[in-house]
Amino acid sequence: MTLQQDIEKKILANKNDELRNLLFEFINDVDEKKISVQKLKIKVLQDVREIVLDEIGG
């Protein structure tokens, strides 16, 4: 079981709806940040690739 699955299991077991909702929002925010970071990494690699190709071709 991954850490996220373990956290989700514990959240679902929690009877406090407000806390459960806050924790789910937190997990979603973390997932969104991970996706944003991945997109930035891809963009940087694409930019570096273009620079290298320009240098090789020029």
Side-chain angles (χ1 to χ4, degrees):
M1 180 178 297
T2 67
L3 178 59
Q4 183 172 352
Q5 289 171 329
D6 186 42
I7 291 170
E8 288 175 355
K9 180 181 174 185
K10 289 177 182 176
I11 290 170
L12 290 172
N14 190 328
K15 300 301 179 199
N16 184 332
D17 287 339
E18 184 177 355
L19 177 60
R20 182 175 21 183
N21 291 337
L22 286 171
L23 288 170
F24 270 128
E25 286 178 29
F26 174 75
I27 288 172
N28 288 334
D29 287 347
V30 169
D31 286 344
E32 288 176 14
K33 299 301 183 219
K34 287 179 183 178
I35 291 168
S36 295
V37 167
Q38 188 63 29
K39 286 180 179 179
L40 285 172
K41 287 178 182 179
I42 290 169
K43 174 71 173 123
V44 168
L45 289 173
Q46 288 172 338
D47 290 348
V48 168
R49 181 178 179 269
E50 287 180 25
I51 292 169
V52 169
L53 289 175
D54 286 347
E55 289 296 318
I56 291 173

